[in-house]
Amino acid sequence: MQTLITPPPHDAPSLPYEEQVDHAREALPADLPDDPSKVLVALDVDGTLVTANGASENVRRTVASSIEAGINVVIATGRGVAATRPVFQELELPSGFSVSSNGAQIVRWERAQDGRHVYEKLSETYFDPRAAVQAVLGVIPGTILGADGGDERMRVNQYFPPGELASVEDLHELEELLSFPTLRMVVRAPWLTRVEFEDALTSVDLSSVECAIGWTSWADLTAHGTTKAKGLETLVSDLGIDRRGTIAIGDGTNDIAMLEWAAHGVAMGTATPDIIAAANTTTGAVDHDGAAAVLDALLERY
């Protein structure tokens, strides 16, 4: 399965699965709605649901069981639609919603008769990335840029390292690239360490946009105020779900707003201290089935 950037190695302790479920059970709010259709679980993808080898059997089982129980399972990811589709295929989801491109796009998915998932765009939030991109280029000359326009293609100023994008790459000159409607601008500098990259980005004013830095020298820029939390807030309003019934699980800086927004935020075991601080509790690492443990505990309620 295409996972974009693989989570870095970690030394998080491996707890027995049942101990993780016990911990998740104790942490769940007592006042969750009695009706599972009034519960929404937002799941990050990379580092939360999947490793480089895809989703585990426990993740597949608990996601499927949650949907069968009537719980609203939403994929909340930085991935654009081209890279979100493989998640639905990997988990064999019949249908559902995604908050993609870090909240810039809300999408409804259906599985067609041929097994391929097709989508309908419900909302999109575009922005002008020009000022932010010029600021980044001022401190990281030669930055690789990818403009996500909300479709199957990524418009780039130079090609990304092999295997990093699920989208088809269309090569453009910088000025032309910046002229396209953009949901998310990917900033990539593979020759820099993650620390060097973050230091460079924090040295310039990016306050006019949302900037989420990944595990490596990769960052996603979206419109100011556009986050996974904002997308989920719109979705729960449309679905008639009270925020009391919201649960979010994630591990990255782009999950912080979502973890703070949800009634019950769960950080993965490999999350950094700032991400853990945004959550109500933690669970095991992705390769220890931490997200599945939370879902198993939740399923006991329904």
Side-chain angles (χ1 to χ4, degrees):
M1 176 186 174
Q2 178 80 25
T3 60
L4 300 185
I5 299 176
T6 303
H10 66 85
D11 56 3
S14 177
L15 296 174
Y17 186 72
E18 286 306 319
E19 286 188 24
Q20 295 185 63
V21 176
D22 290 343
H23 174 74
R25 182 188 304 115
E26 293 172 4
L28 281 174
D31 64 344
L32 284 171
D34 295 330
D35 182 353
S37 70
K38 297 300 181 183
V39 175
L40 182 146
V41 180
L43 299 171
D44 172 53
V45 176
D46 301 287
T48 298
L49 288 184
V50 301
T51 67
N53 297 317
S56 71
E57 287 305 313
N58 268 342
V59 166
R60 289 170 179 266
R61 172 184 58 80
T62 53
V63 169
S65 296
S66 297
I67 293 170
E68 290 171 6
I71 296 167
N72 297 279
V73 174
V74 176
I75 300 301
T77 179
R79 295 171 175 233
V81 290
T84 301
R85 177 183 282 116
V87 180
F88 277 76
Q89 294 171 337
E90 173 78 2
L91 298 176
E92 300 177 353
L93 301 179
S95 62
F97 296 94
S98 72
V99 172
S100 297
S101 298
N102 282 333
Q105 194 171 43
I106 301 175
V107 182
R108 179 190 287 116
W109 295 83
E110 297 286 346
R111 187 165 59 195
Q113 289 186 344
D114 63 0
R116 180 176 171 82
H117 285 82
V118 296
Y119 60 87
E120 175 191 2
K121 303 175 188 178
L122 300 182
S123 73
E124 296 178 297
T125 303
Y126 293 93
F127 76 116
D128 183 352
R130 188 177 301 272
V133 165
Q134 294 296 353
V136 171
L137 290 173
V139 291
I140 313 177
T143 298
I144 304 173
L145 302 169
D148 173 5
D151 53 24
E152 304 286 327
R153 314 185 78 82
M154 185 74 85
R155 298 163 183 87
V156 301
N157 68 332
Q158 51 186 304
Y159 293 116
F160 278 65
E164 288 194 353
L165 294 181
S167 308
V168 175
E169 295 176 79
D170 290 337
L171 192 62
H172 296 275
E173 295 293 333
L174 178 61
E175 284 304 311
E176 185 181 19
L177 178 75
L178 295 176
S179 70
F180 289 107
T182 302
L183 293 173
R184 173 179 61 114
M185 181 65 74
V186 180
V187 176
R188 183 77 168 101
W191 58 92
L192 296 181
T193 66
R194 204 269 187 188
V195 171
E196 292 169 338
F197 184 71
E198 182 175 19
D199 286 346
L201 292 189
T202 55
S203 72
V204 296
D205 183 10
L206 295 177
S207 60
S208 64
V209 298
E210 298 295 329
C211 177
I213 301 174
W215 300 303
T216 63
S217 51
W218 170 303
D220 288 333
L221 308 180
T222 54
H224 183 67
T226 298
T227 63
K228 293 183 183 182
K230 184 66 174 178
L232 289 165
E233 190 173 60
T234 299
L235 189 56
V236 298
S237 176
D238 292 344
L239 295 175
I241 295 173
D242 189 272
R243 199 160 134 199
R244 177 173 66 92
T246 57
I247 298 171
I249 310 176
D251 74 312
T253 58
N254 62 341
D255 295 315
I256 289 176
M258 174 176 80
L259 295 173
E260 292 176 335
W261 168 85
H264 186 60
V266 183
M268 299 297 290
T270 52
T272 54
D274 56 333
I275 298 162
I276 291 173
N280 299 94
T281 187
T282 59
T283 188
V286 61
D287 46 345
H288 302 157
D289 285 341
V294 177
L295 294 178
D296 258 333
L298 179 63
L299 285 164
E300 293 176 3
R301 300 279 187 96
Y302 307 106

